[in-house]
Amino acid sequence: MAEPNVITKQDLIESAKTCIVENGINQLTLKAVAEGAGVTQGTVYYHFKTKEQLMIEVVEDMCKTSWERLEQMKEDTGQQGIEWMKAGLEAAYERNSSDASYHSLFFSLVAAGLHNHNIRERIGGLLAYENDVLQKQIQALAGDECCGMSPDVCSVFVNALIDGLAVQSLMRSDFDGKKVFDYLERLLAKQLGSR
């Protein structure tokens, strides 16, 4: 009797990430993921019915892993407040480089979500998750007001600003992301640290 395939959904997500890093987002196919994981395409289809579903789960995994790393750093080093915010901005800056895959995937899904209700709901849920994590940190740093806004509104502005900077980074070869992120860090530190 043959042994059952013990590949997990997470293994396939990792294979997809490797495929994107090595070959680019345009070469991401369910077949390439299967080959990278050493399984049949049927195994991939068992976990992911479409390429879009795979892409959503890769983006969710990348996003949540990034936030979990920040939380783990806070627990391991005791860094919180302004230091946590600086580490978060550094992670966002790294994801905004023109060769980073996160925002390319994310914006591809945003575009697909304009015409696909399921994708729109999943991306909306991911944005809500990010806003919630940011809101808690902003609340801890600034109390009930940040930049003249409530923490829940401020978190949406900061999240949208980061995604907007990603558009600039992806579309403009002359975009000086380091300069802009350094200024954003100083601005937020001033606003959040003044409490």
Side-chain angles (χ1 to χ4, degrees):
M1 181 179 222
E3 281 188 39
N5 194 337
V6 292
I7 194 97
T8 66
K9 191 178 219 182
Q10 189 61 42
D11 293 330
L12 296 173
I13 289 171
E14 294 304 320
S15 177
K17 288 182 195 176
T18 300
C19 179
I20 292 166
V21 168
E22 291 177 357
N23 306 312
I25 188 174
N26 292 332
Q27 300 302 314
L28 177 65
T29 64
L30 296 179
K31 180 180 179 184
V33 171
E35 289 172 0
V39 298
T40 66
Q41 277 186 263
T43 301
V44 177
Y45 280 109
Y46 174 79
H47 292 285
F48 306 101
K49 303 304 180 215
T50 65
K51 179 178 173 180
E52 287 78 18
Q53 181 187 2
L54 172 64
M55 289 172 59
I56 287 169
E57 299 220 16
V58 168
V59 166
E60 286 175 342
D61 182 77
M62 292 169 86
C63 175
K64 290 180 179 179
T65 298
S66 180
W67 287 110
E68 288 166 3
R69 276 191 206 122
L70 279 172
E71 288 302 305
Q72 189 62 48
M73 177 207 66
K74 183 169 70 173
E75 288 179 27
D76 292 346
T77 65
Q79 286 185 331
Q80 47 190 333
I82 298 299
E83 293 305 314
W84 185 94
M85 185 266 314
K86 287 179 180 180
L89 285 174
E90 180 64 31
Y93 171 70
E94 289 170 8
R95 282 194 319 269
N96 276 326
S97 67
S98 61
D99 60 343
S101 57
Y102 175 80
H103 277 103
S104 293
L105 280 168
F106 178 77
F107 291 130
S108 294
L109 289 167
V110 168
L114 295 174
H115 303 288
N116 182 311
H117 179 74
N118 291 332
I119 293 173
R120 183 171 47 248
E121 286 208 354
R122 294 282 296 269
I123 294 299
L126 187 60
L127 290 169
Y129 167 80
E130 289 186 306
N131 293 342
D132 186 54
V133 173
L134 279 168
Q135 178 184 344
K136 289 175 185 168
Q137 290 302 317
I138 290 168
Q139 181 92 39
L141 280 166
D144 292 331
E145 186 177 311
C146 173
C147 306
M149 298 175 260
S150 63
D152 62 321
V153 172
C154 187
S155 69
V156 172
F157 272 91
V158 170
N159 199 11
L161 182 58
I162 300 285
D163 289 339
L165 292 174
V167 170
Q168 296 280 335
S169 179
L170 289 169
M171 300 298 165
R172 291 184 49 206
S173 60
D174 65 338
F175 180 67
D176 187 349
K178 182 72 173 140
K179 176 180 169 186
V180 173
F181 269 88
D182 285 347
Y183 181 79
L184 177 59
E185 179 183 312
R186 289 192 309 273
L187 177 68
L188 288 174
K190 181 179 178 184
Q191 290 298 318
L192 296 173
S194 63
R195 304 267 185 275

